Amino acid sequence: MLLHFEVTDPNRNLSSNSKKKDFHLYLLMGQSNMAGRGLVQSIDTITHPRVMMLDENQQWVLAKDPMHFDKPIAGVGLGLTFGKIMANENPNITIGLIPTAVGGSSINAWFADSLHQQTNAYPYNDMILRAKEAMKDGTLKGILWHQGESDSGNEASVAGYSQKFLAMVDSLKKDLGVESIPIVTGELGYFFYERSPLAEQLNGELNKLTKENECLSLVSAQGLNHKGDQTHFDSDSYHELGRRYAQKMIELQTTCSTVIK
């Protein structure tokens, strides 16, 4: 393994070209179903020696759940399972996960200088800062996005979702100096349709988006369950989502490469 360091070593140096090339970074973006709200069990605290996460203090540590820190209720999400699968695909790389999701955030909060009042945070600004810090050590290889529950409340929000999503991606690529990058998105849970009937229509927008863009792919929510609140997936479903995201990312990377300006 080219990238090797002790997570407790404050003097580590990850910035050489060879180490950066083999430290594959993935941005975890969206709202609560990306941050994760599943019950943390012992399996979710088992680390992988080649799966790291950028913690709240912007330090690389071994990844385990809860990975996000947007709210005290953060729990199991899809990121850890995703990271372990990606690491096992190639024994010569290390995976670096960058948690940036913010529970309750609409897509309107994912633009520069947009305040998410519920958490008093600037999701987009914070994401860019964390991504740039991570990219000093590694190479950005993909983005994981799960968001939309907060935008499924009315027809206007649903109708404008695709345009806003693409605008956000354009801004992100410009701010991070990326020309192209694989992005995997996920459907809203089908169980959410009872709470928000327009959620099905928003899933339709996500399907159209991914069919029209070669660097976008969509994960199905078929067969997944909620934790009892008809909004958030349960822990087993988060694990399954992680597997589905990894499969889609692996497939997408064969046709869409990350190109850094």
Side-chain angles (χ1 to χ4, degrees), residues 7 18 48 61 79 97 121 151 230 258:
V7 296
S18 62
H48 187 294
V61 298
L97 303 173
D151 295 279
Q230 290 189 301
T258 301

Side-chain angles (χ1 to χ4, degrees), residues 11 36 42 48 53 80 83 130 136 142 171 176 195 215 234-235:
N11 297 314
S42 56
H48 187 294
M53 67 180 189
L80 184 60
R130 288 174 58 76
K136 295 176 182 177
S171 294
L176 295 182
R195 293 196 61 183
C215 284
D234 61 19
S235 294

Side-chain angles (χ1 to χ4, degrees), residues 161-232:
Y161 189 87
S162 294
Q163 182 180 12
K164 290 179 181 179
F165 178 84
L166 293 175
M168 178 200 66
V169 171
D170 284 344
S171 294
L172 181 154
K173 290 193 294 187
K174 179 180 179 181
D175 289 338
L176 295 182
V178 176
E179 291 187 6
S180 69
I181 189 165
I183 302 174
V184 177
T185 68
E187 288 187 319
L188 307 186
Y190 298 169
F191 47 76
F192 192 60
Y193 294 174
E194 291 188 32
R195 293 196 61 183
S196 181
L198 292 178
E200 185 171 7
Q201 188 175 330
L202 197 144
N203 274 347
E205 290 296 312
L206 289 171
N207 271 278
K208 286 191 292 184
L209 262 175
T210 52
K211 287 178 181 178
E212 296 169 356
N213 295 270
E214 64 178 10
C215 284
L216 289 174
S217 189
L218 182 66
V219 166
S220 169
Q222 180 70 42
L224 302 181
N225 302 309
H226 63 88
K227 59 181 282 187
D229 60 4
Q230 290 189 301
T231 301
H232 301 104

Side-chain angles (χ1 to χ4, degrees), residues 28-32 34-35 100-103 105 110 144-147:
L28 279 55
M29 298 172 57
Q31 57 181 114
S32 57
M34 176 57 76
T100 68
V102 178
S105 58
W110 288 91
L144 281 59
W145 173 263
H146 199 290
Q147 190 277 335

